[in-house]
């Protein structure tokens, strides 16, 4: 999971008016329509004035959206705080509750300054996806009642229990509106070039117009008659200091946890800029301080509005900010228009959004990694018990599974062709020593033994048990073949599993005098440990290849494409050559041209990535010159000449995070990626697929020493952070 950065090191976000007008503006209107009934409903359920919910929605959008660290999260009053707020209102009154909210916001700001927010990144993906699924199921069942013309209950159990009665009730108007909304949401994205306008916005506008023209009898949105006159000024609460402090701490902690969980979950729904959780906590604190001061409800990041924001196509934080502005403007100046919207139409949008939070792709992935149980427990806990309780249940199960695996090791001893083979798998610590010793004692005296270690870690107790047995077996006339390097590596916490993430030489901690490093040793190790991936490779062999990307990179041995892109077998179609070059269409390099045409026209890849890197030998050679005029390398590097000429006119390039100026060779390497992106567009198949929206071109530059990936634009500033919005870097219309 991507780590958050401190506010001091976060570069300013570039404003792209093209993205805002095309994506964020329509998305903000969708979220605005959803936010108003949700805010009013949460305020009513909490015992707060209705205007307090709208104030929290406006402040959450504008303040948290502007100063928070999660670009696509939408903040406002949340159902998770309903019970807490209702208790505070009953004990202190609303005016004092507003003051408590303001104080809780100040406490959140202090928590954000101490950088405690990044702890949320430790959550297991199974827990996060389970939380989303639980919330999605709850929303879907809840809003199904509204689609059917009824009222949603407070819990999933109550909603399920009341569903049969709701089904037999007669609310034809609401059912018609709800079903029409759902159909529009499903069919609109299938129309050619219709995605430029979000389906939820189309559905709500069309259904509202139909309901108004045909005078359909349905429940509609209700707003306060005189919003500003209902504002309540906060007052200091009466009561003991301990009571007040407990109330402030409760609101701050619950609001913080819900906001951070929501931010982490929203990051799972899109591939743009990741959340800075410490900054998000500060932004949430500022929003609560302002909301409380204006007499509003507590503010948190909320997954319902946030997931709707992502689904509607938002790209930047401008969507969240604008949604808050729309609420203020329409409630104050155009409330009558909003009161035409049927509640069943908004429920239909939420119903589809909730169902989409339960993704089969996530379930299949977690099933392959044996984490489906954590997902199911978290989802069920969130749906039945509540957000905090469900997440805690999922975390407890995930932790128990980790502890179980840490104490689990498989030890077998079998005779194979006159040699006893001892295989040790898993994690071998002191609790498994007794089982280990029992197995070793079954081996006859004086026989040859080979010990195969495939362990993540073994502690000193296990190390001594194996050493004591080895010495005793040798003393009794036997022989023991043991990989001492793997033995010591496991003892020092280094994985003795296949060394796919570091060079073979790194695993040879201690070399015997007659030991030689051979590729055959690596092949033998793969053969001995490939059982876990054989079913997956067998399926790929049967299904054929369907890669999602073509990855064009340098032949440099330090570049590992699957490691950089976190992809596995079957995901990536790869081309490697000296200098990651794409000679223009019609050049003599038919091999690269054939690969591009095959990837685009036959395999139908969705993206082409050109990846350069630091300390590139080809770039250095192009600058220094290759001595042998007639060499194949000299002829190949002629394709770099256009990049050399362009690099000479490019200003100095600095790393967007560290600010360190790149060397001349690295500047050429970055510029070369931009030139190769242009060369790709000389291919008709690439240009056609890109214009039709079936293909995106991505420039990437990998700093080997820093293990950091940066995106490359085909224009200044050339180099940007890898977590920038991809559309900013790859859409030709932005050039």
């Amino acid at each position: 999971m991507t780590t958050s950065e401190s506010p001091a090191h976060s570069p300013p976000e570039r404003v792209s008016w093209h993205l805002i007008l095309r994506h964020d503006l329509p998305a903000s209107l969708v979220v605005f329509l959803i936010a108003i009934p949700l805010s009013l409903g949460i305020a009513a359920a909490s015992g707060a004035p209705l205007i307090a919910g709208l104030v929290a929605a406006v402040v959450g959008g504008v303040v948290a959206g502007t100063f928070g660290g999660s670009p696509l999260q939408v903040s406002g009053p949340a159902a998770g705080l309903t019970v807490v707020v209702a208790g505070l209102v009953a004990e202190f009154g609303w005016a004092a509750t507003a003051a408590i909210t303001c104080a809780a916001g100040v406490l959140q700001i202090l928590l954000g300054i101490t950088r405690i927010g990044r702890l949320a990144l430790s959550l297991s993906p199974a827990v996060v996806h389970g939380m989303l699924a639980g919330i999605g199921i709850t929303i879907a069942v809840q809003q199904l009642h509204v689609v059917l013309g009824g009222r949603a209950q407070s819990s999933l159990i109550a909603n399920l229990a009341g569903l049969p009665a709701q089904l037999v009730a007669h609310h034809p108007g609401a059912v018609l509106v709800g079903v029409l909304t759902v159909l529009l949401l499903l069919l609109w994205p299938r129309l050619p070039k219709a995605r430029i306008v979000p389906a939820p916005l189309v559905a709500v506008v069309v259904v509202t117009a139909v309901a108004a023209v045909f005078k359909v009898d349905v429940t509609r949105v209700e707003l306060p008659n005189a919003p500003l006159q209902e504002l309540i000024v906060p007052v200091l609460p009466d009561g003991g200091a301990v009571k007040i402090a407990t109330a402030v701490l409760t609101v701050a902690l619950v609001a913080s946890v819900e906001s951070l969980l929501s931010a982490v979950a929203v990051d799972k729904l899109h591939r743009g800029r990741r959340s800075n959780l410490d900054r998000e906590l500060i932004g949430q604190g500022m929003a609560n301080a302002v909301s409380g001061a204006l007499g509003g409800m507590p503010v948190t990041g909320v997954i319902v509005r946030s997931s709707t924001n992502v689904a509607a196509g938002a790209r930047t934080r401008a969507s969240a900010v604008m949604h808050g502005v729309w609420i203020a403007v329409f409630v104050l100046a155009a409330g009558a228009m909003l009161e035409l919207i049927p509640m069943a139409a908004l429920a239909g949008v939420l119903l589809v959004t909730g169902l989409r939070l339960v993704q089969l792709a996530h379930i299949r992935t977690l099933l392959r990694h044996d984490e489906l149980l954590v997902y199911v427990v978290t989802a069920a806990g969130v749906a039945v018990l509540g957000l905090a309780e469900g997440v805690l249940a999922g975390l407890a199960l995930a932790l128990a599974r980790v502890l179980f695996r840490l104490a689990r090791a498989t030890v077998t001893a079998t005779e194979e062709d006159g040699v006893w083979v001892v295989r040790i798998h898993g994690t071998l610590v002191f609790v498994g020593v007794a089982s280990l010793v029992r197995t070793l004692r079954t081996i006859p005296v004086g026989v040859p033994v080979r010990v195969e270690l495939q362990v993540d870690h073994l502690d000193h107790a296990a190390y001594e048990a194996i050493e004591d047995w080895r010495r005793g077996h040798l003393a009794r006339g036997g022989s023991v073949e043991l990989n001492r390097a793997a033995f010591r590596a496991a003892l020092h916490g280094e994985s003795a599993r296949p060394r796919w993430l570091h060079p073979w030489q790194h695993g040879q901690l201690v070399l015997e005098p007659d030991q030689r490093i051979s590729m055959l040793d690596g092949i033998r190790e793969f053969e001995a440990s490939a059982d876990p991936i054989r079913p997956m490779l067998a399926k790929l062999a049967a299904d054929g290849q369907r890669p999602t990307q073509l990855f064009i990179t340098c032949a440099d041995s330090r570049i590992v494409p699957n490691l950089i892109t976190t992809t596995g077998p079957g995901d990536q179609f790869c081309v490697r050559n000296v200098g990651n070059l794409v000679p223009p269409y019609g050049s003599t390099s038919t091999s690269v041209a054939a690969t591009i045409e095959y990837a685009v026209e036959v395999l139908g890849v969705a993206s082409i990535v050109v990846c350069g890197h630091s300390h590139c030998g080809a770039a250095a050679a192009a600058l220094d010159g290759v001595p042998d005029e007639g060499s194949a390398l000299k002829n190949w590097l002629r394709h770099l000449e256009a990049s050399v000429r362009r690099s000479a006119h490019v200003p100095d390039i600095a790393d967007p995070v560290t600010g360190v100026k790149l060397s001349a060779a690295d500047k050429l390497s970055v510029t070369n990626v931009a030139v190769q992106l242009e060369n790709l567009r000389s291919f008709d198949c690439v240009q056609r697929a890109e214009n039709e929206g079936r293909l995106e071109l991505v420039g990437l530059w990998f700093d080997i020493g820093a293990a950091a990936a940066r995106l490359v634009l085909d224009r200044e500033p050339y180099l940007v952070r890898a977590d920038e919005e991809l559309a900013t870097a790859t859409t030709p219309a932005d050039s």
Side-chain angles (χ1 to χ4, degrees):
M1 191 178 295
T2 308
T3 57
S4 67
E5 298 176 5
S6 63
H9 293 85
S10 295
E13 296 178 46
R14 299 192 315 278
V15 175
S16 172
W17 294 107
H18 170 77
L19 286 179
I20 292 175
L21 293 175
R22 181 177 178 181
H23 300 286
D24 295 322
L25 178 59
S28 70
L29 292 171
V30 174
V31 180
F32 144 70
L33 294 173
I34 297 298
I36 285 187
L38 285 176
S39 302
L40 294 173
I42 291 169
S46 303
L50 294 182
I51 189 61
L54 296 175
V55 168
V58 173
V59 173
V62 176
V63 178
T66 301
F67 299 103
S70 183
L72 297 186
Q73 174 157 268
V74 180
S75 300
L81 274 168
T82 300
V83 176
V84 174
V85 174
L88 294 177
V89 172
E91 185 172 357
F92 297 102
W94 176 249
T97 300
I100 290 171
T101 300
C102 188
V106 175
L107 180 56
Q108 282 183 291
I109 294 174
L110 296 176
L111 291 174
I113 292 174
T114 59
R115 300 184 181 180
I116 201 172
R118 63 189 63 194
L119 292 177
L121 292 170
S122 302
L123 283 177
S124 162
V127 173
V128 176
H129 290 308
M131 180 187 78
L132 285 171
I135 293 172
I137 292 169
T138 304
I139 294 170
V141 176
Q142 187 182 64
Q143 297 305 314
L144 183 57
H145 278 267
V146 183
V147 168
L148 295 173
R151 296 179 63 87
Q153 304 300 314
S154 58
S155 69
L156 177 69
I157 302 299
N159 280 313
L160 289 174
L163 200 55
Q166 201 66 258
L167 289 170
V168 298
H170 298 289
H171 301 287
V175 173
L176 175 65
V177 167
V179 171
L180 181 58
T181 302
V182 172
L183 288 175
L184 283 170
L185 288 171
L186 297 177
L187 296 177
W188 180 258
R190 299 178 181 272
L191 299 178
K193 298 183 179 180
R195 290 188 176 185
I196 191 171
V197 182
L201 183 58
V202 173
V204 171
V205 171
V206 170
V207 170
T208 300
V210 170
V213 170
F214 293 98
K215 297 181 180 179
V216 180
D217 183 19
V218 289
T219 304
R220 290 178 165 83
V221 173
E222 295 182 7
L223 297 176
N225 294 325
L228 294 180
Q229 295 178 12
E230 296 186 23
L231 288 174
I232 297 177
V233 179
V235 298
L236 293 176
D238 294 327
V242 175
K243 268 190 176 181
I244 297 173
T246 301
V248 171
L249 185 63
T250 301
V251 173
L253 290 181
V254 174
S256 299
V257 169
E258 186 160 348
S259 297
L260 294 177
L261 289 174
S262 177
V264 172
V266 172
D267 280 349
K268 298 285 186 183
L269 300 177
H270 66 92
R271 62 180 183 181
R273 192 183 182 96
R274 304 291 93 179
S275 297
N276 182 324
L277 297 180
D278 298 318
R279 177 178 163 185
E280 178 64 18
L281 203 51
I282 293 173
Q284 293 292 333
M286 295 172 67
N288 272 315
V290 173
S291 180
L294 295 176
M297 293 185 66
V299 171
T300 74
V302 278
I303 194 64
V304 178
R305 272 156 275 187
S306 301
S307 58
T308 303
N309 191 38
V310 175
R315 297 296 178 87
T316 72
R317 64 179 67 250
S319 175
V321 175
M322 285 190 290
H323 116 277
V325 174
W326 301 142
I327 294 174
V329 170
F330 276 83
V331 168
L332 294 177
M337 290 179 58
L338 296 178
E339 291 180 334
L340 293 174
I341 300 174
M343 291 296 293
L346 299 177
V349 174
L350 290 173
L351 173 64
V352 174
T353 300
L355 291 176
R356 284 175 175 165
L357 290 178
V358 185
Q359 297 191 23
L360 293 178
H362 292 156
I363 295 174
R364 285 193 293 267
T365 300
L366 294 170
L367 183 61
R368 285 200 303 269
H369 291 87
D370 194 26
E371 295 201 21
L372 185 60
L373 183 61
V374 176
Y375 174 90
V376 171
V377 168
T378 306
V382 169
V384 176
L385 303 176
L387 180 65
E389 294 86 349
V391 171
L392 286 176
L395 286 175
L397 179 59
L399 181 60
R401 287 170 58 82
V402 169
L403 293 175
F404 174 73
R405 287 172 178 171
L406 284 176
R408 182 185 178 189
T410 302
V411 184
T412 61
T414 57
E415 185 180 8
E416 299 177 6
D417 298 328
V419 178
W420 280 77
V421 181
V422 178
R423 293 185 175 91
I424 305 175
H425 296 267
T427 302
L428 190 57
V429 293
F430 65 94
V431 293
V433 168
S435 174
L436 168 67
V437 172
R438 280 197 303 270
T439 302
L440 293 176
R441 285 177 178 172
T442 63
I443 300 173
V445 175
V447 300
V449 179
R450 184 171 74 249
V451 179
E452 294 182 358
L453 279 174
Q454 292 291 332
V455 297
D456 299 305
H457 175 74
L458 59 84
D459 65 3
H460 199 71
Y463 173 84
E464 286 193 346
I466 296 174
E467 270 294 288
D468 290 345
W469 168 82
R470 188 184 69 86
R471 292 194 191 100
H473 192 74
L474 292 175
R476 295 180 182 88
S479 65
V480 178
E481 180 187 341
L482 176 65
N483 187 331
R484 306 288 292 176
F487 196 26
R488 290 192 173 95
L491 179 63
H492 290 89
E494 299 188 25
S495 176
R497 293 185 182 277
R499 287 179 286 272
W500 296 324
L501 297 184
H502 53 71
W504 166 259
Q505 293 92 330
H506 181 77
Q508 305 299 318
L509 300 182
V510 180
L511 292 178
E512 302 297 339
D514 60 343
Q515 187 173 2
R516 308 176 80 179
I517 299 172
S518 168
M519 182 179 291
L520 291 177
D521 293 326
I523 295 172
R524 291 191 190 100
E525 183 173 342
F526 170 78
E527 285 288 331
S529 57
D531 287 343
I533 66 170
R534 283 198 173 96
M536 181 262 292
L537 290 176
K539 188 175 187 304
L540 288 175
D543 296 345
Q545 64 166 335
R546 288 193 292 270
T548 59
Q549 62 184 229
L550 167 61
F551 198 84
I552 303 173
T553 190
C554 188
D556 192 294
S557 62
R558 298 165 294 181
I559 301 300
V560 185
N562 295 110
L563 179 63
I564 297 172
T565 56
T566 320
T567 51
D571 293 333
Q572 199 176 76
F573 199 58
C574 192
V575 172
R576 305 191 68 157
N577 60 49
V578 175
N580 46 270
L581 298 176
V582 182
Y585 183 79
S587 301
T588 56
S589 179
T590 56
S591 174
V592 176
T595 305
I596 292 170
E597 291 178 354
Y598 186 78
V600 175
E601 296 187 332
V602 179
L603 298 178
V605 296
S607 62
I608 301 180
V609 181
V610 179
C611 178
H613 65 94
S614 64
H615 307 89
C616 180
L623 292 175
D624 299 338
V626 180
D628 187 357
E629 188 66 32
S631 70
L633 179 60
K634 183 79 174 182
N635 291 332
W636 175 251
L637 290 182
R638 286 199 178 102
H639 295 299
L640 260 172
E641 291 174 357
S643 301
V644 173
R645 289 193 298 270
R646 180 163 173 178
S647 178
H649 296 91
V650 170
D652 289 339
I653 299 176
D655 186 282
V657 175
T658 64
V660 176
K661 188 173 75 172
L662 301 188
S663 66
D666 285 352
K667 185 177 82 165
L668 172 57
S669 178
V670 171
T671 312
N672 179 53
V673 173
V675 172
Q676 304 316 309
L677 290 175
E678 294 174 357
N679 289 348
L680 274 170
R681 293 190 175 102
S682 69
F683 290 81
D684 290 340
C685 62
V686 172
Q687 198 173 74
R688 184 170 58 253
E690 190 181 29
N691 291 338
E692 293 174 359
R694 296 185 287 110
L695 179 70
E696 64 176 357
L697 305 185
V698 181
L700 195 65
W701 189 76
F702 187 70
D703 187 336
I704 296 175
R710 310 290 183 229
L711 286 180
V712 178
L713 311 183
D714 54 5
R715 62 194 182 280
E716 292 187 32
Y718 289 103
L719 208 60
V720 298
R721 292 159 48 102
D723 57 2
E724 291 280 0
E725 179 62 41
L726 279 180
T728 305
T730 60
T731 304
D734 293 343
S735 301

